Amino acid sequence: MRGVATKIAGVAPLFMLFIAGAISAFEDIEKLRIWPLPAEVNHGGRRMVLSEGFKLVTEGSKYEDPSGILKEGFDRMLGIVRLSHVVSGDGNSSGSGGSSLLQGLHVIISSSSDELEYGSDESYKLVVASREKPSYAQLEANSVYGALHGLQTFSQLCHFNMKKKVIEILMTPWNITDQPRLSYRGLLIDTSRHYLPLPIIKNVIDSMTYAKLNVLHWHIVDSQSFPLEILSYPKLWNGAYSFSQKYTFEDATAIVKYAQRRGIHVLAEIDVPGHALSWGKGYPSLWPSKNCQEPLDVSSDFTFKVIDGILSDFSKIFKFKFVHLGGDEVNTTCWSTTPRIAQWLKKHRKTEAQAYEYFVLRAQKIALSHGYEIINWEETFNNFGGKLSPKTVVHNWLGTGVVEKVTASGLRCIVSNQDKWYLDHIDTPWQMFYVNEPLENINDQKQQSLVLGGEVCMWGEHIDASDIEQTIWPRAAAAAERLWTPYAKLAKNPNKVTTRLAHFRCLLNQRGVAAAPLVGGGRVVPFEPGSCLAQ
């Protein structure tokens, strides 16, 4: 078997009310309407109704919710559960129709901290209903962010009863023990090719939580535009498309805070030395010449002072332990065809390839000086992998076999191979996203541990605020289950999960997310009239 799943074994259930309906066979698992599939699930055959005053209880929890992260998460959960229909039945009496009432959710968190740290415990245990308190569900987690995942799962257990007009949970009692298979589960957005307004970015963050993705890779700038305010070098903003298509320092801070309160890290990227033409709109001296404008001038100390200023400002906004420094698709021709840079190359006895290595390594040292660990696209490893800082994570996107080589060298890796996990490749169907295995051909456990996870990439050349959601979803959800669910419980044939994914897609629509139909590739329109469950 290729790949090793993180398996939860020997975990005693909180109570033993398992009925004959306990999940075992894969066909039975697929009858569940939970995405991504939890590690361990058991259920019964009863029905409970959420009371009108369904409430959060935290007795016995070490987490005191000093900044309201848990309370906000609970309120959001109730909001999305009640979003699709008007609840008008009296859940406290006649509306329950003889079913047991669920009065609230008892959340017990063992850590008092709410600091969002990469690799922190995201596990949870969810029981509906608790043996100790039969009128309450119980959610246990080691961190508040694990509890947020549990709330998302709870929300998917809730259904609207059309006849009685109440929210109910079927097949109780539920006993779910869950944790992610891989620690890095990312989605890239690109705000250089097209500007994305803040509400759109926040909508994307909200939708990520539904599928338990936990890293928003913000590809902020590129050749086309530089929309982010950099206080240290304010003229970089001249590279924005227009006066209004910009992000202030405060905007970026707000995005990071918004994501953090939902358990999502924000990975900021500046792509150097290539993909940086827009930098020179405000500081032309960063260009090799007026007529040859990228990559950034390797011969100038000013280039590296600007990078230092950007990363200094980043450190005040982006608190994730990693920063992405790009390093891909570098055409160094401008360096050798610009006389003064060619002279610098000759003086320092460097070829263009050696100058590329020099640039990347110098940028890495600057990032390290600001407390960051580094992510670079795979070209840096392919060209001079042995020279990279040991604190480098190599981001695979081009070829096969790279992950094995990276991990064999002792470096960490993230998988985003473009043939399977590029969302802008519209012809790639969701089934390809589902079957893409980050640990493909890696059997050594030490090497497996160096694969942090994976990321689906929403490059922005042909998307903007008008179509980003239907291009991301539901294909990103297919990858999300691959990254979350234990390997042994993933379907070998992706078509086996079609019904469950279609249900999740419909659920996204009900929550206001413009997820496209499953039939076809990405961003397709419905083929004909019919139920979203059949599209």
Side-chain angles (χ1 to χ4, degrees):
M1 182 180 74
R2 292 177 297 191
V4 173
T6 301
K7 182 167 180 63
I8 301 176
V11 179
L14 296 181
F15 67 105
M16 300 295 294
L17 287 177
F18 304 144
I19 304 174
I23 309 295
S24 56
F26 186 80
E27 290 75 13
D28 290 331
I29 288 175
E30 283 310 298
K31 293 177 182 177
L32 298 177
R33 297 297 179 254
I34 306 173
W35 194 282
L37 192 68
E40 300 291 341
V41 182
N42 288 278
H43 71 78
R46 303 173 186 170
R47 179 193 308 252
M48 298 192 78
V49 172
L50 265 65
S51 71
E52 185 178 358
F54 189 80
K55 62 183 179 180
L56 171 67
V57 175
T58 58
E59 294 173 4
S61 179
K62 293 183 180 179
Y63 181 71
E64 297 181 353
D65 205 16
S67 54
I69 290 175
L70 178 62
K71 181 61 165 61
E72 284 183 12
F74 178 82
D75 290 343
R76 284 195 306 273
M77 182 274 292
L78 271 187
I80 59 174
V81 164
R82 294 168 173 167
L83 186 63
S84 58
H85 295 284
V86 176
V87 179
S88 59
D90 183 1
N92 290 323
S93 55
S94 59
S96 63
S99 301
S100 300
L101 278 177
L102 200 60
Q103 302 285 359
L105 180 62
H106 185 193
V107 180
I108 303 172
I109 300 172
S110 59
S111 172
S112 61
S113 173
D114 60 10
E115 185 174 351
L116 181 61
E117 296 180 347
Y118 174 71
S120 62
D121 195 324
E122 297 179 85
S123 66
Y124 67 91
K125 296 179 183 179
L126 176 63
V127 177
V128 186
S130 167
R131 183 175 63 177
E132 292 78 13
K133 294 183 177 181
S135 61
Y136 282 80
Q138 182 163 300
L139 173 60
E140 298 180 23
N142 290 319
S143 75
V144 65
Y145 301 106
L148 293 182
H149 291 315
L151 290 174
Q152 291 298 337
T153 298
F154 182 87
S155 75
Q156 292 189 38
L157 300 180
C158 297
H159 304 277
F160 184 77
N161 184 312
M162 289 289 180
K163 183 177 180 180
K164 298 172 183 174
K165 300 179 182 177
V166 295
I167 304 296
E168 61 185 9
I169 297 181
L170 307 177
M171 300 192 298
T172 66
W174 287 92
N175 192 307
I176 297 173
T177 303
D178 203 10
Q179 68 182 44
R181 176 187 175 207
L182 295 167
S183 60
Y184 187 108
R185 307 178 304 281
L187 166 66
L188 177 147
I189 60 169
D190 171 8
T191 58
S192 177
R193 276 56 181 258
H194 283 95
Y195 178 83
L196 297 174
L198 257 63
I200 298 299
I201 297 177
K202 289 179 178 180
N203 289 346
V204 169
I205 291 170
D206 285 333
S207 65
M208 288 173 66
T209 67
Y210 303 151
K212 298 184 173 70
L213 296 175
N214 70 340
V215 180
L216 178 70
H217 176 177
W218 190 358
H219 187 85
I220 305 171
V221 305
D222 209 293
S223 297
Q224 291 82 359
S225 73
F226 198 117
L228 180 64
E229 179 181 27
I230 301 297
L231 300 177
S232 300
Y233 290 92
K235 290 183 181 179
L236 288 169
W237 233 2
N238 293 3
Y241 283 124
S242 70
F243 182 78
S244 63
Q245 295 176 86
K246 296 180 176 182
Y247 305 105
T248 67
F249 186 91
E250 292 78 10
D251 291 337
T253 301
I255 287 295
V256 171
K257 182 178 179 182
Y258 189 88
Q260 181 266 331
R261 297 184 72 81
R262 288 155 178 77
I264 293 178
H265 305 275
V266 178
L267 170 67
E269 179 181 358
I270 55 167
D271 198 347
V272 295
H275 291 278
L277 183 149
S278 62
W279 299 35
K281 299 290 179 66
Y283 298 96
S285 62
L286 292 170
W287 290 332
S289 70
K290 184 177 180 180
N291 298 318
C292 205
Q293 299 174 332
E294 60 183 350
L296 295 169
D297 186 351
V298 66
S299 70
S300 172
D301 283 340
F302 179 65
T303 298
F304 297 97
K305 288 180 180 177
V306 172
I307 292 173
D308 183 61
I310 292 172
L311 293 177
S312 176
D313 284 0
F314 271 21
S315 69
K316 298 176 179 67
I317 304 172
F318 301 104
K319 303 303 181 179
F320 193 29
K321 69 181 292 184
F322 298 110
V323 68
H324 205 305
L325 296 180
D328 63 311
E329 298 181 320
V330 180
N331 181 347
T332 56
T333 303
C334 280
W335 290 346
S336 58
T337 58
T338 301
R340 62 181 179 79
I341 300 180
Q343 185 62 34
W344 181 89
L345 292 173
K346 182 178 179 180
K347 177 182 177 181
H348 291 84
R349 299 180 180 180
K350 293 185 185 297
T351 64
E352 290 179 33
Q354 290 170 331
Y356 167 44
E357 174 187 319
Y358 162 80
F359 195 114
V360 168
L361 297 184
R362 187 168 174 181
Q364 283 201 335
K365 289 179 180 177
I366 295 170
L368 291 168
S369 74
H370 290 288
Y372 284 117
E373 296 182 29
I374 306 133
I375 301 177
N376 276 112
W377 294 109
E378 72 171 69
E379 287 96 323
T380 59
F381 176 82
N382 297 339
N383 285 281
F384 43 87
K387 302 288 184 63
L388 294 170
S389 163
K391 292 188 174 182
T392 302
V393 178
V394 178
H395 198 161
N396 161 243
W397 73 281
L398 279 171
T400 58
V402 175
V403 180
E404 299 99 292
K405 293 176 183 177
V406 170
T407 54
S409 76
L411 292 178
R412 294 163 293 176
C413 194
I414 295 167
V415 177
S416 290
N417 46 323
Q418 61 175 338
D419 59 325
K420 303 283 181 61
W421 274 359
Y422 267 30
L423 291 158
D424 57 306
H425 291 195
I426 299 299
D427 293 336
T428 305
W430 70 264
Q431 290 92 338
M432 298 289 282
F433 280 77
Y434 190 91
V435 300
N436 191 40
E437 174 51 49
L439 300 182
E440 188 84 35
N441 297 326
I442 302 177
N443 298 313
D444 180 80
Q445 288 191 353
K446 183 176 180 182
Q447 285 184 244
Q448 289 175 349
S449 69
L450 294 173
V451 181
L452 302 184
E455 178 179 290
V456 289
C457 298
M458 185 63 272
W459 295 106
E461 283 87 349
H462 303 291
I463 69 99
D464 61 12
S466 70
D467 58 5
I468 186 170
E469 287 187 342
Q470 58 263 50
T471 314
I472 292 174
W473 305 107
R475 293 181 300 161
E481 178 154 296
R482 172 65 52 170
L483 294 166
W484 179 275
T485 300
Y487 182 87
K489 296 203 170 181
L490 293 166
K492 303 302 181 282
N493 179 353
N495 292 324
K496 294 288 187 181
V497 305
T498 301
T499 300
R500 190 162 49 86
L501 182 57
H503 176 85
F504 183 71
R505 179 249 167 171
C506 292
L507 184 67
L508 291 176
N509 287 170
Q510 289 174 355
R511 294 178 178 184
V513 180
L518 270 65
V519 179
R523 208 165 64 213
V524 295
V525 296
F527 179 67
E528 60 186 0
S531 165
C532 68
L533 291 169
Q535 297 173 339

